[in-house]
């Protein structure tokens, strides 16, 4: 019998066995009665089959979790520097302490 540790260290083999096992289990279910199927499940072949399938499924879950836990690197937009100060005329505002009424706005001098 092959262990979880073995299949974890030999993941390609586990995937191959798991792939064959799915077909084998379906075939065994069709051809064996309940008692014989249960006996097959506890045989070396049946245990290896289940172990390989479990390891393969766990590896897939682990892969998905790792993909989701990786930080997403945002696409950076090019930084633009502000225009030089001479590009736009400086706006001067009234500097006295005049309070504005609702309808008044500040206008350049």
């Amino acid at each position: 019998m092959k262990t979880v540790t073995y299949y974890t260290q030999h993941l390609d083999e586990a995937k191959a066995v798991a792939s064959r096992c799915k077909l084998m289990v379906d075939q065994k279910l069709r051809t064996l009665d309940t008692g014989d199927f249960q006996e097959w499940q506890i045989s070396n072949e049946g245990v290896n089959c289940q172990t390989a399938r479990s390891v393969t499924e766990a590896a897939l879950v682990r892969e998905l979790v790792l993909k989701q836990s990786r930080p997403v690197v945002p696409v950076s937009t090019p930084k633009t520097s502000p225009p030089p100060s001479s590009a736009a005329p400086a706006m001067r505002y009234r500097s006295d302490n005049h309070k504005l009424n609702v309808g008044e706005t500040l206008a350049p001098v």
Side-chain angles (χ1 to χ4, degrees), residues 22-87:
K22 174 143 179 45
L23 298 172
M24 193 181 323
V25 167
D26 292 343
Q27 184 260 334
K28 298 280 185 193
L29 278 171
R30 283 193 312 271
T31 59
L32 298 176
D33 63 27
T34 304
D36 288 339
F37 181 73
Q38 288 175 344
E39 273 188 47
W40 175 80
Q41 283 183 308
I42 61 172
S43 71
N44 284 348
E45 184 181 46
V47 171
N48 284 342
C49 184
Q50 182 57 45
T51 304
R53 290 175 75 181
S54 296
V55 168
T56 302
E57 289 171 9
L60 287 173
V61 170
R62 184 172 41 254
E63 235 177 81
L64 288 173
V65 168
L66 287 174
K67 281 182 184 177
Q68 291 175 350
S69 66
R70 289 186 188 128
V72 177
V73 178
V75 176
S76 62
T77 55
K79 294 184 178 183
T80 57
S81 56
S85 59
S86 62

